mmCIF file with all atom_site columns, all heavy atoms in Angstrom:
data_model
loop_
_atom_site.group_PDB
_atom_site.id
_atom_site.type_symbol
_atom_site.label_atom_id
_atom_site.label_alt_id
_atom_site.label_comp_id
_atom_site.label_asym_id
_atom_site.label_entity_id
_atom_site.label_seq_id
_atom_site.pdbx_PDB_ins_code
_atom_site.Cartn_x
_atom_site.Cartn_y
_atom_site.Cartn_z
_atom_site.occupancy
_atom_site.B_iso_or_equiv
_atom_site.pdbx_formal_charge
_atom_site.auth_seq_id
_atom_site.auth_comp_id
_atom_site.auth_asym_id
_atom_site.auth_atom_id
_atom_site.pdbx_PDB_model_num
ATOM 1   N N   . HIS A 1 86 ? 57.012 240.028 195.141 1.00 0.00 ? 86 HIS A N   1
ATOM 2   C CA  . HIS A 1 86 ? 57.593 240.979 194.185 1.00 0.00 ? 86 HIS A CA  1
ATOM 3   C C   . HIS A 1 86 ? 58.578 240.285 193.255 1.00 0.00 ? 86 HIS A C   1
ATOM 4   O O   . HIS A 1 86 ? 58.631 240.583 192.050 1.00 0.00 ? 86 HIS A O   1
ATOM 5   C CB  . HIS A 1 86 ? 58.277 242.121 194.935 1.00 0.00 ? 86 HIS A CB  1
ATOM 6   C CG  . HIS A 1 86 ? 58.885 243.155 194.037 1.00 0.00 ? 86 HIS A CG  1
ATOM 7   N ND1 . HIS A 1 86 ? 58.199 243.729 192.982 1.00 0.00 ? 86 HIS A ND1 1
ATOM 8   C CD2 . HIS A 1 86 ? 60.131 243.712 194.015 1.00 0.00 ? 86 HIS A CD2 1
ATOM 9   C CE1 . HIS A 1 86 ? 58.979 244.602 192.372 1.00 0.00 ? 86 HIS A CE1 1
ATOM 10  N NE2 . HIS A 1 86 ? 60.164 244.595 192.970 1.00 0.00 ? 86 HIS A NE2 1
ATOM 11  N N   . ARG A 1 87 ? 59.369 239.346 193.767 1.00 0.00 ? 87 ARG A N   1
ATOM 12  C CA  . ARG A 1 87 ? 60.297 238.606 192.910 1.00 0.00 ? 87 ARG A CA  1
ATOM 13  C C   . ARG A 1 87 ? 59.531 237.872 191.806 1.00 0.00 ? 87 ARG A C   1
ATOM 14  O O   . ARG A 1 87 ? 59.940 237.878 190.640 1.00 0.00 ? 87 ARG A O   1
ATOM 15  C CB  . ARG A 1 87 ? 61.114 237.605 193.738 1.00 0.00 ? 87 ARG A CB  1
ATOM 16  C CG  . ARG A 1 87 ? 62.178 236.880 192.920 1.00 0.00 ? 87 ARG A CG  1
ATOM 17  C CD  . ARG A 1 87 ? 62.711 235.659 193.636 1.00 0.00 ? 87 ARG A CD  1
ATOM 18  N NE  . ARG A 1 87 ? 61.709 234.595 193.763 1.00 0.00 ? 87 ARG A NE  1
ATOM 19  C CZ  . ARG A 1 87 ? 61.370 233.762 192.787 1.00 0.00 ? 87 ARG A CZ  1
ATOM 20  N NH1 . ARG A 1 87 ? 61.926 233.851 191.594 1.00 0.00 ? 87 ARG A NH1 1
ATOM 21  N NH2 . ARG A 1 87 ? 60.454 232.830 192.995 1.00 0.00 ? 87 ARG A NH2 1
ATOM 22  N N   . VAL A 1 88 ? 58.400 237.265 192.186 1.00 0.00 ? 88 VAL A N   1
ATOM 23  C CA  . VAL A 1 88 ? 57.604 236.506 191.220 1.00 0.00 ? 88 VAL A CA  1
ATOM 24  C C   . VAL A 1 88 ? 56.981 237.439 190.186 1.00 0.00 ? 88 VAL A C   1
ATOM 25  O O   . VAL A 1 88 ? 57.031 237.172 188.977 1.00 0.00 ? 88 VAL A O   1
ATOM 26  C CB  . VAL A 1 88 ? 56.534 235.675 191.948 1.00 0.00 ? 88 VAL A CB  1
ATOM 27  C CG1 . VAL A 1 88 ? 55.558 235.065 190.943 1.00 0.00 ? 88 VAL A CG1 1
ATOM 28  C CG2 . VAL A 1 88 ? 57.187 234.574 192.777 1.00 0.00 ? 88 VAL A CG2 1
ATOM 29  N N   . GLU A 1 89 ? 56.393 238.571 190.643 1.00 0.00 ? 89 GLU A N   1
ATOM 30  C CA  . GLU A 1 89 ? 55.745 239.468 189.687 1.00 0.00 ? 89 GLU A CA  1
ATOM 31  C C   . GLU A 1 89 ? 56.764 240.109 188.735 1.00 0.00 ? 89 GLU A C   1
ATOM 32  O O   . GLU A 1 89 ? 56.453 240.422 187.588 1.00 0.00 ? 89 GLU A O   1
ATOM 33  C CB  . GLU A 1 89 ? 54.944 240.561 190.407 1.00 0.00 ? 89 GLU A CB  1
ATOM 34  C CG  . GLU A 1 89 ? 55.767 241.627 191.087 1.00 0.00 ? 89 GLU A CG  1
ATOM 35  C CD  . GLU A 1 89 ? 54.941 242.707 191.775 1.00 0.00 ? 89 GLU A CD  1
ATOM 36  O OE1 . GLU A 1 89 ? 53.694 242.658 191.685 1.00 0.00 ? 89 GLU A OE1 1
ATOM 37  O OE2 . GLU A 1 89 ? 55.549 243.591 192.417 1.00 0.00 ? 89 GLU A OE2 1
ATOM 38  N N   . ALA A 1 90 ? 58.013 240.284 189.230 1.00 0.00 ? 90 ALA A N   1
ATOM 39  C CA  . ALA A 1 90 ? 59.074 240.836 188.385 1.00 0.00 ? 90 ALA A CA  1
ATOM 40  C C   . ALA A 1 90 ? 59.723 239.781 187.502 1.00 0.00 ? 90 ALA A C   1
ATOM 41  O O   . ALA A 1 90 ? 60.581 240.105 186.673 1.00 0.00 ? 90 ALA A O   1
ATOM 42  C CB  . ALA A 1 90 ? 60.135 241.503 189.264 1.00 0.00 ? 90 ALA A CB  1
ATOM 43  N N   . ASN A 1 91 ? 59.320 238.500 187.686 1.00 0.00 ? 91 ASN A N   1
ATOM 44  C CA  . ASN A 1 91 ? 59.833 237.382 186.880 1.00 0.00 ? 91 ASN A CA  1
ATOM 45  C C   . ASN A 1 91 ? 61.350 237.281 186.975 1.00 0.00 ? 91 ASN A C   1
ATOM 46  O O   . ASN A 1 91 ? 62.051 237.123 185.974 1.00 0.00 ? 91 ASN A O   1
ATOM 47  C CB  . ASN A 1 91 ? 59.387 237.522 185.420 1.00 0.00 ? 91 ASN A CB  1
ATOM 48  C CG  . ASN A 1 91 ? 59.587 236.233 184.633 1.00 0.00 ? 91 ASN A CG  1
ATOM 49  O OD1 . ASN A 1 91 ? 59.542 235.141 185.201 1.00 0.00 ? 91 ASN A OD1 1
ATOM 50  N ND2 . ASN A 1 91 ? 59.816 236.362 183.327 1.00 0.00 ? 91 ASN A ND2 1
ATOM 51  N N   . ARG A 1 92 ? 61.859 237.374 188.197 1.00 0.00 ? 92 ARG A N   1
ATOM 52  C CA  . ARG A 1 92 ? 63.301 237.276 188.432 1.00 0.00 ? 92 ARG A CA  1
ATOM 53  C C   . ARG A 1 92 ? 63.622 235.955 189.128 1.00 0.00 ? 92 ARG A C   1
ATOM 54  O O   . ARG A 1 92 ? 62.830 235.461 189.939 1.00 0.00 ? 92 ARG A O   1
ATOM 55  C CB  . ARG A 1 92 ? 63.780 238.443 189.297 1.00 0.00 ? 92 ARG A CB  1
ATOM 56  C CG  . ARG A 1 92 ? 63.629 239.810 188.644 1.00 0.00 ? 92 ARG A CG  1
ATOM 57  C CD  . ARG A 1 92 ? 64.416 239.931 187.353 1.00 0.00 ? 92 ARG A CD  1
ATOM 58  N NE  . ARG A 1 92 ? 64.349 241.252 186.779 1.00 0.00 ? 92 ARG A NE  1
ATOM 59  C CZ  . ARG A 1 92 ? 65.324 242.156 186.865 1.00 0.00 ? 92 ARG A CZ  1
ATOM 60  N NH1 . ARG A 1 92 ? 66.439 241.860 187.514 1.00 0.00 ? 92 ARG A NH1 1
ATOM 61  N NH2 . ARG A 1 92 ? 65.181 243.341 186.320 1.00 0.00 ? 92 ARG A NH2 1
ATOM 62  N N   . PRO A 1 93 ? 64.783 235.377 188.849 1.00 0.00 ? 93 PRO A N   1
ATOM 63  C CA  . PRO A 1 93 ? 65.142 234.092 189.467 1.00 0.00 ? 93 PRO A CA  1
ATOM 64  C C   . PRO A 1 93 ? 65.493 234.256 190.938 1.00 0.00 ? 93 PRO A C   1
ATOM 65  O O   . PRO A 1 93 ? 65.874 235.345 191.392 1.00 0.00 ? 93 PRO A O   1
ATOM 66  C CB  . PRO A 1 93 ? 66.364 233.649 188.663 1.00 0.00 ? 93 PRO A CB  1
ATOM 67  C CG  . PRO A 1 93 ? 66.975 234.925 188.174 1.00 0.00 ? 93 PRO A CG  1
ATOM 68  C CD  . PRO A 1 93 ? 65.813 235.841 187.898 1.00 0.00 ? 93 PRO A CD  1
ATOM 69  N N   . LYS A 1 94 ? 65.385 233.174 191.691 1.00 0.00 ? 94 LYS A N   1
ATOM 70  C CA  . LYS A 1 94 ? 65.836 233.173 193.071 1.00 0.00 ? 94 LYS A CA  1
ATOM 71  C C   . LYS A 1 94 ? 67.358 233.305 193.100 1.00 0.00 ? 94 LYS A C   1
ATOM 72  O O   . LYS A 1 94 ? 68.049 232.813 192.203 1.00 0.00 ? 94 LYS A O   1
ATOM 73  C CB  . LYS A 1 94 ? 65.412 231.886 193.776 1.00 0.00 ? 94 LYS A CB  1
ATOM 74  C CG  . LYS A 1 94 ? 63.913 231.764 193.983 1.00 0.00 ? 94 LYS A CG  1
ATOM 75  C CD  . LYS A 1 94 ? 63.560 230.518 194.782 1.00 0.00 ? 94 LYS A CD  1
ATOM 76  C CE  . LYS A 1 94 ? 62.059 230.435 195.034 1.00 0.00 ? 94 LYS A CE  1
ATOM 77  N NZ  . LYS A 1 94 ? 61.689 229.241 195.847 1.00 0.00 ? 94 LYS A NZ  1
ATOM 78  N N   . THR A 1 95 ? 67.860 233.976 194.113 1.00 0.00 ? 95 THR A N   1
ATOM 79  C CA  . THR A 1 95 ? 69.304 234.149 194.257 1.00 0.00 ? 95 THR A CA  1
ATOM 80  C C   . THR A 1 95 ? 69.729 233.759 195.664 1.00 0.00 ? 95 THR A C   1
ATOM 81  O O   . THR A 1 95 ? 68.912 233.775 196.597 1.00 0.00 ? 95 THR A O   1
ATOM 82  C CB  . THR A 1 95 ? 69.723 235.606 193.996 1.00 0.00 ? 95 THR A CB  1
ATOM 83  O OG1 . THR A 1 95 ? 69.095 236.455 194.972 1.00 0.00 ? 95 THR A OG1 1
ATOM 84  C CG2 . THR A 1 95 ? 69.324 236.059 192.603 1.00 0.00 ? 95 THR A CG2 1
ATOM 85  N N   . GLY A 1 96 ? 70.990 233.436 195.806 1.00 0.00 ? 96 GLY A N   1
ATOM 86  C CA  . GLY A 1 96 ? 71.505 233.063 197.123 1.00 0.00 ? 96 GLY A CA  1
ATOM 87  C C   . GLY A 1 96 ? 71.979 234.236 197.943 1.00 0.00 ? 96 GLY A C   1
ATOM 88  O O   . GLY A 1 96 ? 72.320 234.075 199.123 1.00 0.00 ? 96 GLY A O   1
ATOM 89  N N   . HIS A 1 97 ? 72.003 235.421 197.329 1.00 0.00 ? 97 HIS A N   1
ATOM 90  C CA  . HIS A 1 97 ? 72.498 236.614 198.014 1.00 0.00 ? 97 HIS A CA  1
ATOM 91  C C   . HIS A 1 97 ? 71.590 237.795 197.685 1.00 0.00 ? 97 HIS A C   1
ATOM 92  O O   . HIS A 1 97 ? 70.937 237.819 196.635 1.00 0.00 ? 97 HIS A O   1
ATOM 93  C CB  . HIS A 1 97 ? 73.933 236.938 197.575 1.00 0.00 ? 97 HIS A CB  1
ATOM 94  C CG  . HIS A 1 97 ? 74.881 235.786 197.771 1.00 0.00 ? 97 HIS A CG  1
ATOM 95  N ND1 . HIS A 1 97 ? 75.334 235.409 199.014 1.00 0.00 ? 97 HIS A ND1 1
ATOM 96  C CD2 . HIS A 1 97 ? 75.455 234.935 196.879 1.00 0.00 ? 97 HIS A CD2 1
ATOM 97  C CE1 . HIS A 1 97 ? 76.147 234.378 198.881 1.00 0.00 ? 97 HIS A CE1 1
ATOM 98  N NE2 . HIS A 1 97 ? 76.229 234.063 197.595 1.00 0.00 ? 97 HIS A NE2 1
ATOM 99  N N   . PRO A 1 98 ? 71.545 238.805 198.559 1.00 0.00 ? 98 PRO A N   1
ATOM 100 C CA  . PRO A 1 98 ? 70.693 239.973 198.290 1.00 0.00 ? 98 PRO A CA  1
ATOM 101 C C   . PRO A 1 98 ? 71.142 240.741 197.055 1.00 0.00 ? 98 PRO A C   1
ATOM 102 O O   . PRO A 1 98 ? 72.341 240.791 196.732 1.00 0.00 ? 98 PRO A O   1
ATOM 103 C CB  . PRO A 1 98 ? 70.874 240.834 199.553 1.00 0.00 ? 98 PRO A CB  1
ATOM 104 C CG  . PRO A 1 98 ? 71.451 239.932 200.585 1.00 0.00 ? 98 PRO A CG  1
ATOM 105 C CD  . PRO A 1 98 ? 72.237 238.894 199.854 1.00 0.00 ? 98 PRO A CD  1
ATOM 106 N N   . THR A 1 99 ? 70.171 241.342 196.372 1.00 0.00 ? 99 THR A N   1
ATOM 107 C CA  . THR A 1 99 ? 70.445 242.266 195.278 1.00 0.00 ? 99 THR A CA  1
ATOM 108 C C   . THR A 1 99 ? 70.571 243.667 195.869 1.00 0.00 ? 99 THR A C   1
ATOM 109 O O   . THR A 1 99 ? 69.609 244.178 196.468 1.00 0.00 ? 99 THR A O   1
ATOM 110 C CB  . THR A 1 99 ? 69.312 242.228 194.240 1.00 0.00 ? 99 THR A CB  1
ATOM 111 O OG1 . THR A 1 99 ? 69.234 240.909 193.682 1.00 0.00 ? 99 THR A OG1 1
ATOM 112 C CG2 . THR A 1 99 ? 69.537 243.237 193.128 1.00 0.00 ? 99 THR A CG2 1
#
Side-chain angles (χ1 to χ4, degrees):
H86 181 49
R87 185 195 68 79
V88 171
E89 72 179 357
N91 194 29
R92 296 300 184 102
K94 292 184 178 182
T95 62
H97 305 286
T99 298

